[in-house]
Amino acid sequence: MSPSQGPVKKLDDKFVDKIGKFVADIKNGKLKGSNNVALSMVTLLENIISESQHATAYELLSLVRSAGRRVAAALPHQLAASNVARRILRAIRDENRASANQSGEASGESLQRLVLATSARRATIGTTHHDLREPLRDHIAELRTELESSSSTVCSAAREHVHADELILTYGASALAERFLRTAASRRYKLILAEGTDVQESHAMAARLSAAGVSVTIISSAAIFAVMSRVNKVVVSVSAALGGGAALLAGGAHAVTQAAKYYSVPVLALAPLYKLCPIHASDDSHFNTLIAPTTAIPYENHEVGDVHVYTPMYDFAPPDHITLFITNLGGSSPSYMYRMLSELYDPNDYTL
Amino acid sequence: MKKEEVQEIFLKIMKEEEDVSAGVAAIRTLLLVIENYKVTTVRELDLNLQLAVEAMKHCDQPVTAISSGCELFMRFITFAKLDVKSFEECEQIMLQRGHIFLNELLEARGKVAKQAMAFIRDGCKILTHSLSRVVLQAMSEAAKTNKRFKVYVTMSCPDNSGELMHKQLVAAGIDATLILDSSVGYIMEQVDIVMVGAEGVTESGGIINKIGTYTIGMAALELKKPVYVLTESFKFSRIYPLNQKDLPNEFKYLSSVLKSGKDLSKQHPLVDYTPPAYITLLFTDLGILTPSAVSDELIKLYL
C-alpha cells in the first residue's frame, strides 16, 4: 500500500511545533523569498527525518507527506515548500528502491510498461526495513546545494540570451530577474522596466541596475503595450511553473505576456526548478490569493475607506504566452515541462 | 483459421458488450485467436494474427481504434516471444501476459476519468461531441461527487451517436442538452471547456475522432476555450498525418464503401484529424499529457 492511500499520519507534538514555527516565520515576514522558503523547508524536513523514531521507507514517506500537507494547508501559496516535500519524497522512494535492489524507473505509467505487462513487478513500499536516514542525508545535501546554486545557475545563462544593443523589457521587481539582468550587464543592452504593483520596489531595482551599468528606462505599466513593438525580448521571473507549461507570474504580468504575444516578442521565463509544480491549470482562480492593497492605495488615504481594492498576487500565463523557460537545467520549451516533472517527482506524490 | 470466424468473434464482442471499445474488443479477439487456434511455430502464430487483424479491419466497423490496438498488441507479442526457449512455454507466457495487458487496458478508462475529474468544476458548462464512453464515465463520476454542471452534446451526424450520449448522460442525472452539429459556433461562447474522446491519437499529439471534432477544435481556439481530450493510451498510433488527406482511406470510410468502388469524393468521411495545435491537454491513463508528450511515449515504446 502506498502511504498516499493510507490515513493521514498523526505527527508528533514536537514536529507540529517545528512546523508551526516555520509557518509563523513565513507569515510574519521573517522568511522572505521562495528560495529561502525552499531552503528552510529542506532544513525542517531534514530535522524531522533525523529525529523520527522509525526510519523505514514507509514511515519516512508518511512523515514527510503529512508534514508537507500541513505546510501546504497553512501556506497554500508557498508552492515551493510543497515542491521541496515532493522532492524529498522522491528521494526516499529512490533510496528504498535502491536498497531493495528493485531496478527500473519510478513507478510512473508508460506505454512501455503497459506492453511489457510488468505490473506485478512494481516497486512496493514497506518491503524493506533498512534505515534510510544515512543515504537520505546525501540526497538532502544534494538538494540543498541545488537550491543554493539554482539562481546563479539560471543567471549564468543570461549572456546567452541577452545580446548587445537589444531592448529588453521586464516587469516589476524580482530578485531573480534583477540578478539575471545584472549578469548580462556586460552585453550593453537597454532595459525597459515596467512598474509592477509595488512601484517603490520597481524604482529601487531600476536604481540598482543602473548603478551596475545597465541603461534603464522606467515606464508605467499602462505603457507596456505602447513600447512592446520595439522590444526584442521580455524577461520575467515566474512565481510557479505548472506542469502543462503554463506559469504563475506576478500580478499584472499577463498584460505583458499578452502584448508580447501580439507583437510576437519572445518571452523568457526564469524558473528555477524548485518552482515547478505538478499541478495543472484547471482554473486560474484556484491559485490566486488576494494580498494587502497597500501597494495599490496607501493606507494613509482615508478618503478611500469605502472603496474595495483587490490586489491579486499572481497572474496566470498560458503556455502559448511563454517562449522559453530558463531552468537550472537549461532552457526548456513549455511543451516539454511535463518531462521535467517526471524527472523530479514521483507521480504518486503529485497530490501530497 | 478462417476470416469469417475471426470476424464473428469480434462482432460478437462488439454487439454483446456495448461498453467495450473497438480497440479492446480487437485485442480480446487476438487473445482468443492465440488460445483457440493451436499452432506450433512463432511464424505461424504471427501469420495467424496478421490474418486476424486484416479480417477485423474489414468488419464494417471504424478501423482507427482497431488498428492502433492491434499494433500495440503485435508489439507486445514481439516482446514476449524473445525471452523463452520452447514455443509452448512462449505461448503460455503470451497468454498470461496478454491477460495482464488486457486488464490494464480495462482499468485505463477509470484512470482517465479520475484525471479529468479535477477539470470538471462545479457550475461549469461543457461541450462534448458524439459518443465517447470515457467522457461519459468521467462525467458520470463527476456527477456522483455532487458536482453540478451542464453538458452540450452535438447530435453528431451521420449516425446521430450524440443522441445515445445524450440519453446516457440524462440517465446519469446530468443536465445535458442535445444541439445541432451546425450550432457549435453558436454555443461556443457559452461553454467553459470542450471535452472530447478520440478514436486514435497520432504521433504528433493530434487526434483522429468522429467527423466534426476538427470544426469544434477550430471554434474553441478562436474563442480561447480549452480543448481536453480523454483517451486511453492504447489508442496512440504511429501515424503522422499532416492534413485530412493524409488520413488512410480505411480510417475515413467503412470497408463496405471502399469495396463498393464508389467515387470516394462523393462519400461522407466518418472521421477527421484534429492537429495538436487545437488540443490543450490529453488525459490518458499514463497521466495528463501535453500533445508533444505523445510522441515521447511512442518513441520510448518503439525505439
Side-chain angles (χ1 to χ4, degrees), chain A residues 297-309:
Chain A
I297 291 187
Y299 286 132
E300 301 87 67
N301 289 13
H302 294 299
E303 61 270 33
V304 294
D306 294 331
V307 178
H308 288 282
V309 184

Side-chain angles (χ1 to χ4, degrees), chain A residues 111-112 115 119 335 338-339, chain B residues 76 104 292-293 296-297 300:
Chain A
L111 266 184
Q112 177 114 29
V115 166
S119 59
S335 65
Y338 77 95
R339 187 62 186 272
Chain B
F76 156 79
E104 289 267 335
S292 57
D296 233 30
E297 286 292 335
K300 260 194 262 169

